[in-house]
Amino acid sequence: MSGSDPTPALFAHLPDGLFGPLASPNRLHYWSILGRLYAEYFGPDAPLPPSDGYPRRELTAAIERWLLSDDPWDDDEGESPDTPLTVRANAIYERLRAAGWLRQERVGVREMASMTQPVSLLLGTLWDFAERGPAFLGAKIRSVELLLRQVVEHDAGGDALDEAADQTRGLLSHVAAISVRVRDLMPELIKAGSTAQFARQLFERYVTELFIGDYAHLHNADHPLARRTAVLALVRDIEHSDHRGRLLHWYQERTPGHDAERAAGRLERSLRRLRELDRIAEYLERLDEDIRQANRRALAFLDYRLRAPDRFDVLLQRACRGALAAPEHELRLPVAPGPLLDDTRLRAPRNRSRPIPRTANVTTPPTPEQLARMHLLRQMKRVRQVLPEDLSRYVNRHLGGRERVSSDELAIDSIADLRAYQVLSTLALRGHRNGGMRRDDPLRRMLRGFDVELDARARTANDHLDTPRFTLRRTRHAA
């Protein structure tokens, strides 16, 4: 790969054939062996391993013990399950050692086995991924906010900033992945053989495994997710204050060669990941829509399965086979003798009465004075109505090439300007209340490329209004 490729070099840290056992026909059994080795010998819950590692015979004896209690292995690469247990355990050990999961060294006359730090870290990550259940977004938001407050208020180093950035990236990735899992799971659930099986899988897998642990409380005003505006304010404080220089010095001191460019890039990467928290609302709106669609499909399927006769297709096939195999005299229609179609059996036609002819009401065209009044009334209503594009023009007229402008600098030269100023003041007040602006607030669609921040400690007085001071700030989505 070229040096400009942004993809991380995975196999610069891991052996090339590491995933070979996990791609074999016995991949599930190799994963079980690796999991047991990690849990009993090399994981955080295992006893502290010796500095030289474990004797090879101890690990092969453990593999023999596991094979003796659970041996569903298939024939793989000429290795038959009928092979003696000791030979098979040593073959499994050698396969894991050759792939790079285990490292073997000779200490004196003994062969000692250990697990390298990158491989152990990867196995722990895979273990956590396999055990991952519903996440609690509130706890993650609190953790990110506390880490940033340590940076701002207690002069913590870049390690706290990096940890907050990593948690933010993991939070967004988790929410984005839930929508895909919901869409992938519903076609699989519909393949259930019975209504009871579908309902059981729906509640065990769809509700228990996929939903966010605190999903039902995400829209409450007191939920920590509503404090993402405070988190973004802390990020802006770090980015535009003396903390940036202090953190840049911290990164530079811990960068090989004290490279200032690499230190600045690492700081900017952490700040960029933290700013991505502003997109959590978009992810949650898409997740809400996917969950609503999944609920509708599940309810429709349950309603169909409960109303339709059980094994309806089997009953139709049985009826068709019976009709084809029955004698001809048994297939006659169960009707009385006589013609089926006769004019005496037909219903007499209904004579519909002719509708009463209608005449249009006489209309009087409006006079020129009435037309002028209606035109003037429409202009009066339009000039008092503020649309998103009207507000964007008013904001862009004052922002120009600047990033921020205070309400003291906003001019009011017309009724349209006065109405736009009133809407901006309302947006500032609603965004400042506890929990921030609600996601279903109709004024939320007015924010196109800018944001409004309230300064409740000062006021702005002009010739028309006296309001709390607010500041217009151009966002990165601005056109």
Side-chain angles (χ1 to χ4, degrees), residues 144-145 147-153 156-157 160-161 164 231-248 251 267 270-271 274-275:
V144 171
E145 183 179 5
L147 288 170
L148 293 180
R149 291 197 180 279
Q150 289 180 6
V151 175
V152 173
E153 299 175 1
L161 187 68
V231 174
L232 294 173
L234 290 172
V235 175
R236 289 193 295 269
D237 188 15
I238 294 173
E239 189 175 8
H240 301 290
S241 66
D242 297 337
H243 297 292
R244 181 182 182 89
R246 179 177 59 81
L247 291 171
L248 188 60
Y251 280 114
L267 174 60
S270 297
L271 293 176
L274 288 167
R275 287 194 296 266

PDB file of all heavy atoms in Angstrom, residues 144-145 147-153 156-157 160-161 164 231-248 251 267 270-271 274-275:
ATOM      1  N   VAL A 144     -18.321  10.585  28.346  1.00  0.00           N
ATOM      2  CA  VAL A 144     -17.653  11.545  27.460  1.00  0.00           C
ATOM      3  C   VAL A 144     -17.631  12.938  28.084  1.00  0.00           C
ATOM      4  O   VAL A 144     -16.610  13.632  28.068  1.00  0.00           O
ATOM      5  CB  VAL A 144     -18.356  11.565  26.082  1.00  0.00           C
ATOM      6  CG1 VAL A 144     -17.818  12.699  25.218  1.00  0.00           C
ATOM      7  CG2 VAL A 144     -18.169  10.230  25.374  1.00  0.00           C
ATOM      8  N   GLU A 145     -18.754  13.354  28.679  1.00  0.00           N
ATOM      9  CA  GLU A 145     -18.801  14.685  29.281  1.00  0.00           C
ATOM     10  C   GLU A 145     -17.844  14.796  30.466  1.00  0.00           C
ATOM     11  O   GLU A 145     -17.150  15.812  30.630  1.00  0.00           O
ATOM     12  CB  GLU A 145     -20.230  14.995  29.727  1.00  0.00           C
ATOM     13  CG  GLU A 145     -20.389  16.404  30.297  1.00  0.00           C
ATOM     14  CD  GLU A 145     -21.816  16.696  30.722  1.00  0.00           C
ATOM     15  OE1 GLU A 145     -22.659  15.781  30.657  1.00  0.00           O
ATOM     16  OE2 GLU A 145     -22.085  17.834  31.135  1.00  0.00           O
ATOM     17  N   LEU A 147     -15.070  13.125  30.968  1.00  0.00           N
ATOM     18  CA  LEU A 147     -13.697  13.162  30.471  1.00  0.00           C
ATOM     19  C   LEU A 147     -13.336  14.547  29.942  1.00  0.00           C
ATOM     20  O   LEU A 147     -12.235  15.057  30.191  1.00  0.00           O
ATOM     21  CB  LEU A 147     -13.511  12.111  29.383  1.00  0.00           C
ATOM     22  CG  LEU A 147     -13.479  10.652  29.850  1.00  0.00           C
ATOM     23  CD1 LEU A 147     -13.535   9.706  28.656  1.00  0.00           C
ATOM     24  CD2 LEU A 147     -12.227  10.379  30.669  1.00  0.00           C
ATOM     25  N   LEU A 148     -14.261  15.176  29.214  1.00  0.00           N
ATOM     26  CA  LEU A 148     -13.981  16.508  28.689  1.00  0.00           C
ATOM     27  C   LEU A 148     -13.902  17.540  29.807  1.00  0.00           C
ATOM     28  O   LEU A 148     -13.106  18.492  29.732  1.00  0.00           O
ATOM     29  CB  LEU A 148     -15.060  16.901  27.670  1.00  0.00           C
ATOM     30  CG  LEU A 148     -15.073  16.089  26.370  1.00  0.00           C
ATOM     31  CD1 LEU A 148     -16.180  16.562  25.455  1.00  0.00           C
ATOM     32  CD2 LEU A 148     -13.733  16.201  25.655  1.00  0.00           C
ATOM     33  N   ARG A 149     -14.704  17.376  30.856  1.00  0.00           N
ATOM     34  CA  ARG A 149     -14.611  18.309  31.983  1.00  0.00           C
ATOM     35  C   ARG A 149     -13.274  18.150  32.715  1.00  0.00           C
ATOM     36  O   ARG A 149     -12.742  19.130  33.253  1.00  0.00           O
ATOM     37  CB  ARG A 149     -15.774  18.088  32.940  1.00  0.00           C
ATOM     38  CG  ARG A 149     -17.115  18.518  32.361  1.00  0.00           C
ATOM     39  CD  ARG A 149     -18.182  18.691  33.421  1.00  0.00           C
ATOM     40  NE  ARG A 149     -19.434  19.100  32.848  1.00  0.00           N
ATOM     41  CZ  ARG A 149     -19.731  20.365  32.511  1.00  0.00           C
ATOM     42  NH1 ARG A 149     -18.835  21.317  32.705  1.00  0.00           N
ATOM     43  NH2 ARG A 149     -20.890  20.660  31.986  1.00  0.00           N
ATOM     44  N   GLN A 150     -12.744  16.934  32.738  1.00  0.00           N
ATOM     45  CA  GLN A 150     -11.413  16.763  33.320  1.00  0.00           C
ATOM     46  C   GLN A 150     -10.363  17.513  32.503  1.00  0.00           C
ATOM     47  O   GLN A 150      -9.426  18.090  33.063  1.00  0.00           O
ATOM     48  CB  GLN A 150     -11.069  15.280  33.382  1.00  0.00           C
ATOM     49  CG  GLN A 150     -11.859  14.504  34.419  1.00  0.00           C
ATOM     50  CD  GLN A 150     -11.470  13.038  34.445  1.00  0.00           C
ATOM     51  OE1 GLN A 150     -10.527  12.638  33.767  1.00  0.00           O
ATOM     52  NE2 GLN A 150     -12.206  12.245  35.210  1.00  0.00           N
ATOM     53  N   VAL A 151     -10.537  17.530  31.173  1.00  0.00           N
ATOM     54  CA  VAL A 151      -9.592  18.251  30.330  1.00  0.00           C
ATOM     55  C   VAL A 151      -9.707  19.758  30.553  1.00  0.00           C
ATOM     56  O   VAL A 151      -8.703  20.475  30.630  1.00  0.00           O
ATOM     57  CB  VAL A 151      -9.829  17.892  28.849  1.00  0.00           C
ATOM     58  CG1 VAL A 151      -8.936  18.736  27.941  1.00  0.00           C
ATOM     59  CG2 VAL A 151      -9.563  16.413  28.611  1.00  0.00           C
ATOM     60  N   VAL A 152     -10.956  20.268  30.674  1.00  0.00           N
ATOM     61  CA  VAL A 152     -11.180  21.715  30.761  1.00  0.00           C
ATOM     62  C   VAL A 152     -10.947  22.228  32.172  1.00  0.00           C
ATOM     63  O   VAL A 152     -10.289  23.264  32.373  1.00  0.00           O
ATOM     64  CB  VAL A 152     -12.607  22.047  30.276  1.00  0.00           C
ATOM     65  CG1 VAL A 152     -12.926  23.515  30.505  1.00  0.00           C
ATOM     66  CG2 VAL A 152     -12.757  21.692  28.806  1.00  0.00           C
ATOM     67  N   GLU A 153     -11.471  21.524  33.179  1.00  0.00           N
ATOM     68  CA  GLU A 153     -11.453  22.055  34.542  1.00  0.00           C
ATOM     69  C   GLU A 153     -10.263  21.579  35.371  1.00  0.00           C
ATOM     70  O   GLU A 153      -9.843  22.267  36.299  1.00  0.00           O
ATOM     71  CB  GLU A 153     -12.759  21.665  35.250  1.00  0.00           C
ATOM     72  CG  GLU A 153     -13.999  22.222  34.559  1.00  0.00           C
ATOM     73  CD  GLU A 153     -15.285  21.725  35.205  1.00  0.00           C
ATOM     74  OE1 GLU A 153     -15.173  20.966  36.205  1.00  0.00           O
ATOM     75  OE2 GLU A 153     -16.375  22.070  34.706  1.00  0.00           O
ATOM     76  N   ALA A 156      -6.512  17.887  32.518  1.00  0.00           N
ATOM     77  CA  ALA A 156      -6.101  16.528  32.177  1.00  0.00           C
ATOM     78  C   ALA A 156      -5.402  16.521  30.817  1.00  0.00           C
ATOM     79  O   ALA A 156      -5.537  17.454  30.019  1.00  0.00           O
ATOM     80  CB  ALA A 156      -7.306  15.589  32.163  1.00  0.00           C
ATOM     81  N   GLY A 157      -4.654  15.468  30.523  1.00  0.00           N
ATOM     82  CA  GLY A 157      -3.877  15.397  29.298  1.00  0.00           C
ATOM     83  C   GLY A 157      -4.676  14.868  28.122  1.00  0.00           C
ATOM     84  O   GLY A 157      -5.894  14.676  28.174  1.00  0.00           O
ATOM     85  N   ALA A 160      -7.143  11.606  28.189  1.00  0.00           N
ATOM     86  CA  ALA A 160      -8.583  11.750  28.457  1.00  0.00           C
ATOM     87  C   ALA A 160      -9.332  12.196  27.209  1.00  0.00           C
ATOM     88  O   ALA A 160     -10.445  11.731  26.935  1.00  0.00           O
ATOM     89  CB  ALA A 160      -8.801  12.747  29.597  1.00  0.00           C
ATOM     90  N   LEU A 161      -8.719  13.090  26.422  1.00  0.00           N
ATOM     91  CA  LEU A 161      -9.364  13.537  25.186  1.00  0.00           C
ATOM     92  C   LEU A 161      -9.476  12.392  24.185  1.00  0.00           C
ATOM     93  O   LEU A 161     -10.520  12.227  23.525  1.00  0.00           O
ATOM     94  CB  LEU A 161      -8.563  14.702  24.593  1.00  0.00           C
ATOM     95  CG  LEU A 161      -9.186  15.398  23.379  1.00  0.00           C
ATOM     96  CD1 LEU A 161     -10.444  16.137  23.796  1.00  0.00           C
ATOM     97  CD2 LEU A 161      -8.198  16.369  22.749  1.00  0.00           C
ATOM     98  N   ALA A 164     -12.290  10.039  25.269  1.00  0.00           N
ATOM     99  CA  ALA A 164     -13.604  10.602  24.953  1.00  0.00           C
ATOM    100  C   ALA A 164     -13.897  10.496  23.458  1.00  0.00           C
ATOM    101  O   ALA A 164     -15.030  10.182  23.056  1.00  0.00           O
ATOM    102  CB  ALA A 164     -13.670  12.059  25.412  1.00  0.00           C
ATOM    103  N   VAL A 231     -21.749  18.919  25.704  1.00  0.00           N
ATOM    104  CA  VAL A 231     -20.514  18.256  25.289  1.00  0.00           C
ATOM    105  C   VAL A 231     -19.883  19.005  24.118  1.00  0.00           C
ATOM    106  O   VAL A 231     -18.665  19.252  24.090  1.00  0.00           O
ATOM    107  CB  VAL A 231     -20.801  16.794  24.910  1.00  0.00           C
ATOM    108  CG1 VAL A 231     -19.559  16.132  24.329  1.00  0.00           C
ATOM    109  CG2 VAL A 231     -21.289  16.018  26.124  1.00  0.00           C
ATOM    110  N   LEU A 232     -20.699  19.417  23.141  1.00  0.00           N
ATOM    111  CA  LEU A 232     -20.160  20.152  22.001  1.00  0.00           C
ATOM    112  C   LEU A 232     -19.626  21.519  22.423  1.00  0.00           C
ATOM    113  O   LEU A 232     -18.643  22.011  21.850  1.00  0.00           O
ATOM    114  CB  LEU A 232     -21.259  20.318  20.935  1.00  0.00           C
ATOM    115  CG  LEU A 232     -21.734  19.018  20.281  1.00  0.00           C
ATOM    116  CD1 LEU A 232     -22.922  19.284  19.379  1.00  0.00           C
ATOM    117  CD2 LEU A 232     -20.612  18.386  19.482  1.00  0.00           C
ATOM    118  N   ALA A 233     -20.249  22.123  23.439  1.00  0.00           N
ATOM    119  CA  ALA A 233     -19.724  23.393  23.950  1.00  0.00           C
ATOM    120  C   ALA A 233     -18.343  23.197  24.581  1.00  0.00           C
ATOM    121  O   ALA A 233     -17.448  24.049  24.428  1.00  0.00           O
ATOM    122  CB  ALA A 233     -20.701  23.987  24.958  1.00  0.00           C
ATOM    123  N   LEU A 234     -18.155  22.087  25.298  1.00  0.00           N
ATOM    124  CA  LEU A 234     -16.836  21.804  25.863  1.00  0.00           C
ATOM    125  C   LEU A 234     -15.802  21.580  24.760  1.00  0.00           C
ATOM    126  O   LEU A 234     -14.642  22.005  24.889  1.00  0.00           O
ATOM    127  CB  LEU A 234     -16.921  20.567  26.760  1.00  0.00           C
ATOM    128  CG  LEU A 234     -17.691  20.723  28.077  1.00  0.00           C
ATOM    129  CD1 LEU A 234     -17.848  19.382  28.761  1.00  0.00           C
ATOM    130  CD2 LEU A 234     -16.979  21.704  28.998  1.00  0.00           C
ATOM    131  N   VAL A 235     -16.204  20.938  23.676  1.00  0.00           N
ATOM    132  CA  VAL A 235     -15.278  20.723  22.559  1.00  0.00           C
ATOM    133  C   VAL A 235     -14.869  22.055  21.952  1.00  0.00           C
ATOM    134  O   VAL A 235     -13.686  22.284  21.649  1.00  0.00           O
ATOM    135  CB  VAL A 235     -15.929  19.808  21.503  1.00  0.00           C
ATOM    136  CG1 VAL A 235     -15.032  19.674  20.276  1.00  0.00           C
ATOM    137  CG2 VAL A 235     -16.200  18.437  22.092  1.00  0.00           C
ATOM    138  N   ARG A 236     -15.832  22.972  21.761  1.00  0.00           N
ATOM    139  CA  ARG A 236     -15.491  24.293  21.217  1.00  0.00           C
ATOM    140  C   ARG A 236     -14.594  25.066  22.170  1.00  0.00           C
ATOM    141  O   ARG A 236     -13.692  25.796  21.744  1.00  0.00           O
ATOM    142  CB  ARG A 236     -16.771  25.077  20.930  1.00  0.00           C
ATOM    143  CG  ARG A 236     -17.576  24.555  19.754  1.00  0.00           C
ATOM    144  CD  ARG A 236     -18.630  25.538  19.325  1.00  0.00           C
ATOM    145  NE  ARG A 236     -19.644  25.728  20.359  1.00  0.00           N
ATOM    146  CZ  ARG A 236     -20.755  25.019  20.455  1.00  0.00           C
ATOM    147  NH1 ARG A 236     -20.990  24.058  19.575  1.00  0.00           N
ATOM    148  NH2 ARG A 236     -21.629  25.243  21.415  1.00  0.00           N
ATOM    149  N   ASP A 237     -14.827  24.899  23.486  1.00  0.00           N
ATOM    150  CA  ASP A 237     -13.973  25.565  24.456  1.00  0.00           C
ATOM    151  C   ASP A 237     -12.531  25.060  24.359  1.00  0.00           C
ATOM    152  O   ASP A 237     -11.569  25.840  24.423  1.00  0.00           O
ATOM    153  CB  ASP A 237     -14.532  25.334  25.860  1.00  0.00           C
ATOM    154  CG  ASP A 237     -13.801  26.156  26.918  1.00  0.00           C
ATOM    155  OD1 ASP A 237     -13.075  27.092  26.536  1.00  0.00           O
ATOM    156  OD2 ASP A 237     -13.954  25.863  28.116  1.00  0.00           O
ATOM    157  N   ILE A 238     -12.371  23.749  24.194  1.00  0.00           N
ATOM    158  CA  ILE A 238     -11.023  23.180  24.054  1.00  0.00           C
ATOM    159  C   ILE A 238     -10.369  23.658  22.763  1.00  0.00           C
ATOM    160  O   ILE A 238      -9.169  23.965  22.718  1.00  0.00           O
ATOM    161  CB  ILE A 238     -11.101  21.643  24.098  1.00  0.00           C
ATOM    162  CG1 ILE A 238     -11.571  21.177  25.490  1.00  0.00           C
ATOM    163  CG2 ILE A 238      -9.764  21.008  23.751  1.00  0.00           C
ATOM    164  CD1 ILE A 238     -11.828  19.693  25.570  1.00  0.00           C
ATOM    165  N   GLU A 239     -11.172  23.759  21.704  1.00  0.00           N
ATOM    166  CA  GLU A 239     -10.618  24.080  20.393  1.00  0.00           C
ATOM    167  C   GLU A 239     -10.205  25.540  20.269  1.00  0.00           C
ATOM    168  O   GLU A 239      -9.246  25.860  19.553  1.00  0.00           O
ATOM    169  CB  GLU A 239     -11.655  23.725  19.319  1.00  0.00           C
ATOM    170  CG  GLU A 239     -11.145  23.810  17.911  1.00  0.00           C
ATOM    171  CD  GLU A 239     -12.179  23.322  16.908  1.00  0.00           C
ATOM    172  OE1 GLU A 239     -13.327  23.074  17.324  1.00  0.00           O
ATOM    173  OE2 GLU A 239     -11.833  23.189  15.727  1.00  0.00           O
ATOM    174  N   HIS A 240     -10.907  26.443  20.962  1.00  0.00           N
ATOM    175  CA  HIS A 240     -10.670  27.881  20.770  1.00  0.00           C
ATOM    176  C   HIS A 240     -10.150  28.563  22.033  1.00  0.00           C
ATOM    177  O   HIS A 240     -10.369  29.768  22.213  1.00  0.00           O
ATOM    178  CB  HIS A 240     -11.974  28.561  20.321  1.00  0.00           C
ATOM    179  CG  HIS A 240     -12.537  28.016  19.051  1.00  0.00           C
ATOM    180  ND1 HIS A 240     -11.947  28.208  17.814  1.00  0.00           N
ATOM    181  CD2 HIS A 240     -13.645  27.251  18.821  1.00  0.00           C
ATOM    182  CE1 HIS A 240     -12.666  27.613  16.879  1.00  0.00           C
ATOM    183  NE2 HIS A 240     -13.706  27.017  17.460  1.00  0.00           N
ATOM    184  N   SER A 241      -9.489  27.842  22.907  1.00  0.00           N
ATOM    185  CA  SER A 241      -8.971  28.436  24.140  1.00  0.00           C
ATOM    186  C   SER A 241      -7.522  27.995  24.331  1.00  0.00           C
ATOM    187  O   SER A 241      -6.908  27.364  23.466  1.00  0.00           O
ATOM    188  CB  SER A 241      -9.826  28.020  25.344  1.00  0.00           C
ATOM    189  OG  SER A 241      -9.719  26.623  25.573  1.00  0.00           O
ATOM    190  N   ASP A 242      -6.988  28.363  25.491  1.00  0.00           N
ATOM    191  CA  ASP A 242      -5.600  28.000  25.794  1.00  0.00           C
ATOM    192  C   ASP A 242      -5.409  26.496  25.970  1.00  0.00           C
ATOM    193  O   ASP A 242      -4.267  26.013  25.951  1.00  0.00           O
ATOM    194  CB  ASP A 242      -5.150  28.723  27.077  1.00  0.00           C
ATOM    195  CG  ASP A 242      -5.160  30.225  26.901  1.00  0.00           C
ATOM    196  OD1 ASP A 242      -5.084  30.676  25.730  1.00  0.00           O
ATOM    197  OD2 ASP A 242      -5.249  30.949  27.916  1.00  0.00           O
ATOM    198  N   HIS A 243      -6.507  25.765  26.173  1.00  0.00           N
ATOM    199  CA  HIS A 243      -6.379  24.313  26.326  1.00  0.00           C
ATOM    200  C   HIS A 243      -5.805  23.670  25.069  1.00  0.00           C
ATOM    201  O   HIS A 243      -5.126  22.653  25.160  1.00  0.00           O
ATOM    202  CB  HIS A 243      -7.731  23.690  26.659  1.00  0.00           C
ATOM    203  CG  HIS A 243      -8.301  24.139  27.965  1.00  0.00           C
ATOM    204  ND1 HIS A 243      -7.737  23.810  29.173  1.00  0.00           N
ATOM    205  CD2 HIS A 243      -9.387  24.912  28.255  1.00  0.00           C
ATOM    206  CE1 HIS A 243      -8.451  24.346  30.154  1.00  0.00           C
ATOM    207  NE2 HIS A 243      -9.455  25.010  29.622  1.00  0.00           N
ATOM    208  N   ARG A 244      -6.067  24.255  23.904  1.00  0.00           N
ATOM    209  CA  ARG A 244      -5.553  23.664  22.659  1.00  0.00           C
ATOM    210  C   ARG A 244      -4.027  23.674  22.659  1.00  0.00           C
ATOM    211  O   ARG A 244      -3.395  22.665  22.324  1.00  0.00           O
ATOM    212  CB  ARG A 244      -6.089  24.440  21.456  1.00  0.00           C
ATOM    213  CG  ARG A 244      -5.622  23.870  20.120  1.00  0.00           C
ATOM    214  CD  ARG A 244      -6.127  24.694  18.953  1.00  0.00           C
ATOM    215  NE  ARG A 244      -5.700  24.107  17.701  1.00  0.00           N
ATOM    216  CZ  ARG A 244      -6.368  23.183  17.019  1.00  0.00           C
ATOM    217  NH1 ARG A 244      -7.513  22.741  17.487  1.00  0.00           N
ATOM    218  NH2 ARG A 244      -5.896  22.711  15.896  1.00  0.00           N
ATOM    219  N   GLY A 245      -3.433  24.798  23.036  1.00  0.00           N
ATOM    220  CA  GLY A 245      -1.979  24.857  23.085  1.00  0.00           C
ATOM    221  C   GLY A 245      -1.396  23.896  24.105  1.00  0.00           C
ATOM    222  O   GLY A 245      -0.366  23.255  23.864  1.00  0.00           O
ATOM    223  N   ARG A 246      -2.056  23.775  25.270  1.00  0.00           N
ATOM    224  CA  ARG A 246      -1.563  22.860  26.297  1.00  0.00           C
ATOM    225  C   ARG A 246      -1.640  21.417  25.815  1.00  0.00           C
ATOM    226  O   ARG A 246      -0.695  20.624  26.001  1.00  0.00           O
ATOM    227  CB  ARG A 246      -2.393  23.038  27.563  1.00  0.00           C
ATOM    228  CG  ARG A 246      -1.991  22.105  28.708  1.00  0.00           C
ATOM    229  CD  ARG A 246      -2.824  22.394  29.941  1.00  0.00           C
ATOM    230  NE  ARG A 246      -4.246  22.239  29.697  1.00  0.00           N
ATOM    231  CZ  ARG A 246      -4.877  21.074  29.702  1.00  0.00           C
ATOM    232  NH1 ARG A 246      -4.206  19.945  29.916  1.00  0.00           N
ATOM    233  NH2 ARG A 246      -6.175  21.006  29.479  1.00  0.00           N
ATOM    234  N   LEU A 247      -2.754  21.043  25.178  1.00  0.00           N
ATOM    235  CA  LEU A 247      -2.884  19.673  24.679  1.00  0.00           C
ATOM    236  C   LEU A 247      -1.920  19.412  23.524  1.00  0.00           C
ATOM    237  O   LEU A 247      -1.378  18.301  23.403  1.00  0.00           O
ATOM    238  CB  LEU A 247      -4.328  19.422  24.227  1.00  0.00           C
ATOM    239  CG  LEU A 247      -5.372  19.372  25.344  1.00  0.00           C
ATOM    240  CD1 LEU A 247      -6.765  19.331  24.755  1.00  0.00           C
ATOM    241  CD2 LEU A 247      -5.144  18.159  26.228  1.00  0.00           C
ATOM    242  N   LEU A 248      -1.711  20.412  22.678  1.00  0.00           N
ATOM    243  CA  LEU A 248      -0.770  20.241  21.577  1.00  0.00           C
ATOM    244  C   LEU A 248       0.638  19.984  22.117  1.00  0.00           C
ATOM    245  O   LEU A 248       1.371  19.125  21.598  1.00  0.00           O
ATOM    246  CB  LEU A 248      -0.783  21.480  20.677  1.00  0.00           C
ATOM    247  CG  LEU A 248       0.003  21.386  19.381  1.00  0.00           C
ATOM    248  CD1 LEU A 248      -0.529  20.265  18.506  1.00  0.00           C
ATOM    249  CD2 LEU A 248      -0.062  22.713  18.628  1.00  0.00           C
ATOM    250  N   TYR A 251       0.724  16.333  23.408  1.00  0.00           N
ATOM    251  CA  TYR A 251       0.883  15.359  22.335  1.00  0.00           C
ATOM    252  C   TYR A 251       2.318  15.389  21.773  1.00  0.00           C
ATOM    253  O   TYR A 251       2.893  14.343  21.465  1.00  0.00           O
ATOM    254  CB  TYR A 251      -0.112  15.646  21.211  1.00  0.00           C
ATOM    255  CG  TYR A 251      -1.507  15.147  21.484  1.00  0.00           C
ATOM    256  CD1 TYR A 251      -2.571  16.031  21.646  1.00  0.00           C
ATOM    257  CD2 TYR A 251      -1.780  13.784  21.578  1.00  0.00           C
ATOM    258  CE1 TYR A 251      -3.853  15.585  21.900  1.00  0.00           C
ATOM    259  CE2 TYR A 251      -3.060  13.324  21.821  1.00  0.00           C
ATOM    260  CZ  TYR A 251      -4.087  14.228  21.985  1.00  0.00           C
ATOM    261  OH  TYR A 251      -5.358  13.780  22.230  1.00  0.00           O
ATOM    262  N   LEU A 267      -4.284  15.593  17.588  1.00  0.00           N
ATOM    263  CA  LEU A 267      -5.241  16.428  18.318  1.00  0.00           C
ATOM    264  C   LEU A 267      -6.457  16.735  17.457  1.00  0.00           C
ATOM    265  O   LEU A 267      -7.609  16.659  17.919  1.00  0.00           O
ATOM    266  CB  LEU A 267      -4.556  17.719  18.763  1.00  0.00           C
ATOM    267  CG  LEU A 267      -5.454  18.764  19.429  1.00  0.00           C
ATOM    268  CD1 LEU A 267      -6.098  18.216  20.688  1.00  0.00           C
ATOM    269  CD2 LEU A 267      -4.655  20.024  19.748  1.00  0.00           C
ATOM    270  N   SER A 270      -8.885  13.745  17.234  1.00  0.00           N
ATOM    271  CA  SER A 270      -9.738  13.570  18.412  1.00  0.00           C
ATOM    272  C   SER A 270     -10.854  14.607  18.434  1.00  0.00           C
ATOM    273  O   SER A 270     -12.020  14.286  18.728  1.00  0.00           O
ATOM    274  CB  SER A 270      -8.893  13.671  19.687  1.00  0.00           C
ATOM    275  OG  SER A 270      -7.933  12.636  19.744  1.00  0.00           O
ATOM    276  N   LEU A 271     -10.535  15.871  18.108  1.00  0.00           N
ATOM    277  CA  LEU A 271     -11.567  16.912  18.105  1.00  0.00           C
ATOM    278  C   LEU A 271     -12.596  16.649  17.008  1.00  0.00           C
ATOM    279  O   LEU A 271     -13.798  16.879  17.210  1.00  0.00           O
ATOM    280  CB  LEU A 271     -10.923  18.283  17.904  1.00  0.00           C
ATOM    281  CG  LEU A 271     -10.028  18.777  19.055  1.00  0.00           C
ATOM    282  CD1 LEU A 271      -9.369  20.090  18.683  1.00  0.00           C
ATOM    283  CD2 LEU A 271     -10.840  18.944  20.337  1.00  0.00           C
ATOM    284  N   LEU A 274     -15.022  14.029  18.184  1.00  0.00           N
ATOM    285  CA  LEU A 274     -15.954  14.552  19.176  1.00  0.00           C
ATOM    286  C   LEU A 274     -17.016  15.434  18.534  1.00  0.00           C
ATOM    287  O   LEU A 274     -18.178  15.429  18.964  1.00  0.00           O
ATOM    288  CB  LEU A 274     -15.181  15.347  20.239  1.00  0.00           C
ATOM    289  CG  LEU A 274     -14.335  14.506  21.204  1.00  0.00           C
ATOM    290  CD1 LEU A 274     -13.393  15.384  21.991  1.00  0.00           C
ATOM    291  CD2 LEU A 274     -15.225  13.709  22.146  1.00  0.00           C
ATOM    292  N   ARG A 275     -16.643  16.198  17.511  1.00  0.00           N
ATOM    293  CA  ARG A 275     -17.641  17.033  16.824  1.00  0.00           C
ATOM    294  C   ARG A 275     -18.685  16.192  16.108  1.00  0.00           C
ATOM    295  O   ARG A 275     -19.790  16.681  15.840  1.00  0.00           O
ATOM    296  CB  ARG A 275     -16.945  17.968  15.841  1.00  0.00           C
ATOM    297  CG  ARG A 275     -16.194  19.122  16.497  1.00  0.00           C
ATOM    298  CD  ARG A 275     -15.824  20.180  15.473  1.00  0.00           C
ATOM    299  NE  ARG A 275     -14.895  19.668  14.484  1.00  0.00           N
ATOM    300  CZ  ARG A 275     -13.574  19.767  14.548  1.00  0.00           C
ATOM    301  NH1 ARG A 275     -13.030  20.406  15.588  1.00  0.00           N
ATOM    302  NH2 ARG A 275     -12.788  19.287  13.606  1.00  0.00           N
TER     303      ARG A 275
END
